[in-house]
Amino acid sequence: MSYKSSLKNPIFSTISEVADELNFPTYVVGGWVRDLLLDRTQTETDIDFVCIGNGIVLAEHVAQKLGKNASFKVFKNFGTAMLHYKGENYEFVGARKESYRSDSRKPIVENGTLEDDQNRRDFTINAMAIQLNKKHFGTLIDPFNGQEDLINKRIRTPLDPDVTFSDDPLRMMRAVRFASQLNFTIDKQAMLSIKRNAERLSIISQERITEELNKIILSTTPSVGFKLLFNTNLLHQFFPLMTKLQGVEIRNKHGHKDNFYHTIEVLDNISLNTDNLWLRWAAILHDIAKPQTKKYENGHGWTFHAHEFIGGKMVPKIFRQLKLPLNEKMRYVKKLVTLHLRPITLTKDIVTDSAVRRLLFDAGDDIDDLMTLCNADITSKNETKVKKYLKNFQLVSKKLKEVEEKDSIRNFQPPIDGKDIMTLFNIEAGREIGILKTAIKDAILEGTGKNEKEEALQFVINKAKELNL
Ligand code: ATP
Ligand code: MG
């Protein structure tokens, strides 16, 4: 079998020898085996091993054999050991049997057989094991026919899905994550079971949910995952705000876009051009305030006034609730959401250089990402419209380049700062300083003042007189 050639990595023969010495039946198991059979480039270099015996003892002996380049860490509470060697992580665990009681999340864990261990895994495609002991080296043990599910691209649970999902509800998120990452379908019974058990997600910490969510977002076509999250009601459990985007209201024969499907289309679009998780998050949140800003105005139809500002303001709270980082990543997403309509307002026939300079100033180094978002936001069923928008978008891109080359506003710093103004007039800090600073910035962005120190000082003197400051 072709996969055997992948077991050439010397780590496997080392583990094989140690396993025989200790007389522990030992297997490589889980995601690595799945990806191997899928011929999938391994996204991460974690490999999981399970043995009938003590996983920590096995890891200790393997580490000894590998010598001083190997380091390892024991997680006593979990009965696992992590070995680090030549940039790769190897996790060792003894086969276990888990039984859950309905009133507790914590399983009772006991030593078990390989079969017990495979039974407690999340999906058939993740439950395959390859034996490493010399006598059976390379034998695949696939009790639930995971191989067939790989061929049919199907996510199925080893046990009754109600048992698998209710025991550990995070597995429902993982089902969607694998479906989205691998472009698989979730088996019908499993799908029905997720719908039945969706509410049990509430016992899982938001951090773990978000970890899976981010993996969904980073998959090639994230809309696959979001449609599943929506259809199973999982999304309603942890991100109800996003579900509010769904639906179309019709008044006087005018409908608006379904903003949920629009949003995930924008997300797919942007994913063709970026792997930046936070830029993808900006796509998810760009229209988040549309439901609450929606109005039907006679003569105009549907409007969503200020949804970009209100949406931007909502970002910190959403990040807090979803346990996303509250740092510069959040500020970046907020900025992009707030600015997402600005490039489009520059598509009018006459665009002044000053409007372009203002956008460059406000977006700074994130201007390219903002343009990527804006480009992804062009979705319509009407092809002529899309063509027209794309053409306008290209015009704006060109204009931005021209103005940036001419004026280099992107990292613009005013030629004089507050201190300079205080020294000039020999005054203390106060509101006048702010007014004058804004006036300089405006003059330069408007093109009525030069980005140069002497001129800026003269400008401030005149301005102060003019304003009677
Ligand atoms: P990835 O490519 O993302 O690492 P993976 O399948 O290796 O995918 P891990 O989270 O690394 O996923 O888990 C390793 C293995 O452990 C899985 O393949 C699965 O067999 C098992 N596993 C992980 N989490 C669960 C869970 N919540 N319930 C049951 N089995 C799990
Ligand atoms: Mg893994």
Side-chain angles (χ1 to χ4, degrees), residues 30-31 34 44 48 120-122 126 168 171 174 177:
R34 176 200 68 222
E44 39 184 73
D48 298 291
R120 66 151 191 102
R121 291 188 179 260
D122 48 6
N126 285 346
D168 178 1
R171 293 168 183 163
R174 288 174 60 88
R177 190 256 280 193

Side-chain angles (χ1 to χ4, degrees), residues 104-288:
S104 165
R105 258 189 296 157
K106 292 253 174 324
I108 301 161
V109 182
E110 317 162 65
N111 292 337
T113 61
L114 178 68
E115 194 187 340
D116 292 329
D117 196 274
Q118 287 174 305
N119 275 328
R120 66 151 191 102
R121 291 188 179 260
D122 48 6
F123 307 111
T124 60
I125 58 169
N126 285 346
M128 294 179 278
I130 298 175
Q131 185 146 17
L132 295 177
N133 302 77
K134 196 159 179 203
K135 199 163 161 210
H136 301 284
F137 191 85
T139 305
L140 180 72
I141 300 155
D142 178 16
F144 314 109
N145 212 351
Q147 288 177 97
E148 196 180 303
D149 289 334
L150 284 180
I151 291 166
N152 296 327
K153 294 172 160 278
R154 202 163 50 189
I155 311 282
R156 211 159 48 86
T157 53
L159 308 175
D160 175 347
D162 280 338
V163 174
T164 298
F165 292 135
S166 157
D167 279 353
D168 178 1
L170 183 72
R171 293 168 183 163
M172 299 188 284
M173 287 299 293
R174 288 174 60 88
V176 175
R177 190 256 280 193
F178 287 116
S180 197
Q181 274 184 332
L182 304 172
N183 208 3
F184 276 31
T185 47
I186 299 177
D187 168 68
K188 194 161 168 230
Q189 292 310 318
M191 199 61 192
L192 291 171
S193 173
I194 296 178
K195 280 189 196 166
R196 274 194 298 274
N197 287 286
E199 280 182 18
R200 275 186 63 77
L201 199 62
S202 61
I203 65 168
I204 300 295
S205 76
Q206 187 56 51
E207 285 84 349
R208 297 181 73 206
I209 295 173
T210 296
E211 203 181 315
E212 295 298 331
L213 180 64
N214 282 341
K215 288 187 180 172
I216 293 169
I217 295 170
L218 285 174
S219 56
T220 317
T221 316
S223 66
V224 171
F226 275 94
K227 281 182 198 157
L228 287 168
L229 289 176
F230 187 84
N231 294 337
T232 52
N233 273 356
L234 286 169
L235 192 62
H236 303 66
Q237 307 304 312
F238 65 88
F239 196 8
L241 211 53
M242 188 174 176
T243 67
K244 297 270 189 321
L245 291 168
Q246 190 269 344
V248 178
E249 205 177 322
I250 295 172
R251 222 179 281 178
N252 301 337
K253 294 193 185 146
H254 292 291
H256 57 75
K257 270 187 200 170
D258 182 310
N259 288 306
F260 180 74
Y261 292 99
H262 165 68
T263 293
I264 59 179
E265 194 182 339
V266 175
L267 177 59
D268 280 350
N269 286 345
I270 211 162
S271 300
L272 295 171
N273 293 316
T274 182
D275 288 330
N276 175 349
L277 176 65
W278 307 107
L279 186 48
R280 290 187 182 198
W281 262 110
I284 294 167
L285 298 179
H286 79 287
D287 277 346
I288 197 72

